[in-house]
Amino acid sequence: MAGMEKSNGAEVRFIPVRSTLYPWLVTVFVVTFLISNINATKGVQLGPLVTDGAFFLFPLAYIVGDVLSECYGFKSTRRAVYIGFAMAILAAVCFYIAIWLPAADFYEGQEAFAATLGLMPQILAASLAGYLVGQLLNAWTLTAMKKRSGEKGLFARLIASTVVGEFGDTLLFCAIAAPVIGVDTVGGFINYVIVGFVWKTLMEAVMLPVTAAVIKWVKKREDYLPA
């Protein structure tokens, strides 16, 4: 119910803000995805591995997604995914408008600005589609397994949901983006998918103890009482 206060004799109402970690986690989840889309415009080479500047951020989005799914359920996680999807589209539209607007005479960074933020439509579509499908698969798999096993088997469902979500994300992204980045052979495409999938999955596997610790802390902080 709305909280009531009195000001100059008049009664005013405000909606009370509940103390929960959910909005903070959603914020991290969405902002991580937005930053990832910008970082991904930079190509990175680490020894023989060629990737993009967002390689270390995408696993974080899935880790937060795991925390949301495990602690708040599929519907709440789906809402967070949709919010991230909508904000990514809003950001892209804003970037395109800013690029389109005439640059001031004193501004010398138009080309760099456009190169960094002007994502190719096909790359943007690949990123959005991969994110949406991958995150929903991740959340659905984790929550479905939890309904079967109860509170036990956290690591098993974290690993399984990661494999399913990352594979769906990587496969869809690569299928849409491959022609744009020059991957035009079946062998090259398979390599592109495998490298991306294995790298992201390994990153999340390494972070499993951290993910489990965060989940435990969130449940404790939210006075979580399993049925």
Side-chain angles (χ1 to χ4, degrees):
M1 296 180 63
M4 292 185 291
E5 299 179 11
K6 286 191 175 182
S7 176
N8 296 326
E11 187 178 273
V12 294
R13 293 171 179 262
F14 298 101
I15 299 174
V17 178
R18 295 181 179 180
S19 178
T20 174
L21 294 172
Y22 178 76
W24 294 95
L25 290 168
V26 172
T27 300
V28 174
F29 184 73
V30 173
V31 171
T32 298
F33 179 55
L34 293 178
I35 296 174
S36 295
N37 277 339
I38 298 174
N39 277 21
T41 61
K42 177 178 179 178
V44 173
Q45 183 163 359
L46 301 171
L49 177 65
V50 178
T51 181
D52 58 58
F55 76 93
F56 62 94
L57 278 173
F58 280 117
L60 176 59
Y62 272 88
I63 289 170
V64 178
D66 285 340
V67 175
L68 287 169
S69 301
E70 173 68 23
C71 298
Y72 301 97
F74 179 72
K75 290 184 179 180
S76 295
T77 306
R78 182 177 61 190
R79 184 184 304 121
V81 173
Y82 288 162
I83 291 172
F85 185 80
M87 293 302 100
I89 293 177
L90 175 62
V93 170
C94 291
F95 292 154
Y96 286 137
I97 291 175
I99 292 169
W100 173 77
L101 290 172
D105 292 338
F106 59 82
Y107 183 68
E108 299 179 354
Q110 176 65 16
E111 292 185 4
F113 183 85
T116 301
L117 299 179
L119 295 174
M120 295 180 65
Q122 199 162 343
I123 296 295
L124 177 63
S127 177
L128 290 174
Y131 160 83
L132 182 64
V133 172
Q135 289 289 354
L136 290 178
L137 283 174
N138 183 76
W140 182 85
T141 302
L142 191 151
T143 52
M145 291 182 66
K146 183 174 181 178
K147 288 178 180 178
R148 290 187 177 185
S149 64
E151 296 298 314
K152 297 179 180 180
L154 174 61
F155 274 75
R157 58 179 173 267
L158 287 176
I159 294 173
S161 62
T162 292
V163 170
V164 173
E166 288 289 12
F167 182 74
D169 184 341
T170 306
L171 180 63
L172 190 55
F173 176 86
C174 293
I176 299 174
V180 178
I181 64 175
V183 178
D184 54 5
T185 65
V186 175
F189 176 75
I190 294 175
N191 181 71
Y192 186 35
V193 173
I194 291 176
V195 170
F197 167 70
V198 171
W199 174 256
K200 293 175 183 178
T201 303
L202 284 177
M203 287 281 289
E204 284 198 61
V206 170
M207 294 298 292
L208 276 179
V210 176
T211 305
V214 173
I215 287 173
K216 181 179 180 180
W217 178 79
V218 170
K219 288 181 177 180
K220 183 178 180 181
R221 170 65 172 72
E222 300 283 45
D223 293 327
Y224 176 83
L225 295 174

